[in-house]
Amino acid sequence: MSDLTRQQLLAYRHVLQHGSHGADSGSLPLSEATRTRALAVVASLYRYSYDTGYLHANPAAGLSSGSRARAGFAPTRLIPPALLAACDAWLDAPEADTPNPLGARRRCAIWALYRYAGVRLAELAWSAESGLPRLDAEAPGRWALYVCGKGRKTRAIPPPTPCVAVLRAYRLARGLPAKSPTHEVLPVIHGNKGEALQRAGLYREVKAIFAAVADGLQAREPAQALLLRAASPHWLRHAYARTLVVDHQVPLPAAQALLGHASVQTTAAYVKTDLGQLRYFVERTFTDPTPPPDQ
């Protein structure tokens, strides 16, 4: 680390931002989140080494603007409620002609967990090492989904009643008890050959739902169809967050815990995207004649 110069670190940042253009590089453009995370890791390592006296200077100072980037985060990949309802309706269609009823139940369960639990794509991928994700049903109506989030932190998410109903039906179709026993060690989502469905398979299932609904909308609403074709499972996480924070004004610390955000600033960003709610807060603040109790 002490051999690297400031110029070399800046060159590294340049490669992250613009890619390597060598003939054999084979590099692909990196997302902004990936670039920011990579720079933040390097900057954090150098900052720690400088603070503990291992280095006498910090050549990575100012290399990363991760905190400022996160403070400016604003979710834009949002699915309108009408399109979410259209996807719900497509999944609720009768299954009489479905050649693979278990596959249809699985797809509904995947959709319900991303739609009503707000999990990240990877958080539904089974890990034998951690035994997560895991469903616990302590009592009727008191289910919890345990997932391993960023930083290998476990969090519990209570799925709402519509999600629980779908999960019960899926478990019965798999030959499992409707209510998962405590500390059940089984993948929440099964694979086609008995193993667990991993990230790529989960992604394909959600994209298949978006594509099917987009096909039905193509003739009369091509713009909406195009939006759905561009959507990914993470858009459902944004929709979940917006429903909590904007539509139902769940307190930010509670929403932060449900979403597994490291910073409440990330959670608060969903409020920034909704001028209507900001206007409501201002009106309520300056027109309510009742002062706070401590004034």
Side-chain angles (χ1 to χ4, degrees):
M1 287 176 59
S2 58
D3 290 339
L4 291 176
T5 66
R6 173 74 173 178
Q7 287 71 27
Q8 289 171 318
L9 291 173
L10 291 175
Y12 170 66
R13 182 172 68 179
H14 180 83
V15 169
L16 286 178
Q17 293 173 340
H18 303 286
S20 175
H21 302 294
D24 300 324
S25 67
S27 65
L28 296 174
L30 298 175
S31 69
E32 182 180 354
T34 299
R35 295 195 305 266
T36 300
R37 187 160 52 245
L39 290 172
V41 168
V42 173
S44 176
L45 182 60
Y46 271 94
R47 184 167 56 250
Y48 174 80
S49 300
Y50 174 71
D51 291 344
T52 54
Y54 178 76
L55 295 177
H56 298 295
N58 182 4
L63 184 71
S64 168
S65 58
S67 60
R68 290 192 297 273
R70 180 51 52 183
F73 164 72
T76 57
R77 297 170 297 173
L78 297 170
I79 303 175
L83 287 184
L84 286 174
C87 293
D88 292 337
W90 183 84
L91 287 162
D92 288 340
E95 302 175 10
D97 299 327
T98 302
N100 182 6
L102 177 57
R105 291 288 186 185
R106 182 181 69 176
R107 183 170 289 177
C108 288
I110 293 169
W111 174 264
L113 287 169
Y114 284 123
R115 170 95 157 84
Y116 295 113
V119 292
R120 299 179 179 92
L121 173 65
E123 290 174 347
L124 277 192
W126 166 256
S127 166
E129 178 186 357
S130 64
L132 298 174
R134 184 183 80 245
L135 279 171
D136 269 358
E138 300 173 1
R142 294 184 60 188
W143 286 42
L145 173 70
Y146 291 86
V147 299
C148 182
K150 288 186 176 179
R152 301 184 64 82
K153 294 179 180 178
T154 301
R155 76 179 187 278
I157 307 163
T161 301
C163 183
V164 171
V166 172
L167 294 175
R168 288 172 62 91
Y170 169 55
R171 289 180 57 82
L172 289 172
R174 288 175 66 183
L176 300 174
K179 175 185 171 184
S180 60
T182 303
H183 302 303
E184 179 181 72
V185 185
L186 276 177
V188 173
I189 305 296
H190 79 283
N192 294 328
K193 298 180 180 179
E195 77 287 3
L197 200 64
Q198 294 299 326
R199 287 181 60 169
L202 293 164
Y203 182 87
R204 285 194 299 268
E205 289 289 331
V206 177
K207 288 292 286 185
I209 296 169
F210 288 142
V213 177
D215 288 344
L217 293 172
Q218 186 64 49
R220 64 181 187 278
E221 297 183 64
Q224 301 286 29
L226 183 64
L227 179 65
L228 275 185
R229 294 188 199 283
S232 71
H234 204 74
W235 292 38
L236 295 176
R237 177 171 164 83
H238 287 317
Y240 175 84
R242 194 180 191 282
T243 299
L244 292 177
V245 176
V246 176
D247 298 341
H248 295 282
Q249 300 171 23
V250 171
L252 289 181
Q256 178 190 6
L258 289 168
L259 290 159
H261 285 156
S263 169
V264 75
Q265 286 184 341
T266 305
T267 315
Y270 291 91
V271 180
K272 299 178 192 174
T273 65
D274 189 79
L275 182 59
Q277 190 181 106
L278 293 176
R279 183 178 292 112
Y280 167 76
F281 287 147
V282 171
E283 285 293 329
R284 188 177 64 177
T285 299
F286 289 100
T287 60
D288 187 351
T290 306
D294 58 347
Q295 296 195 11

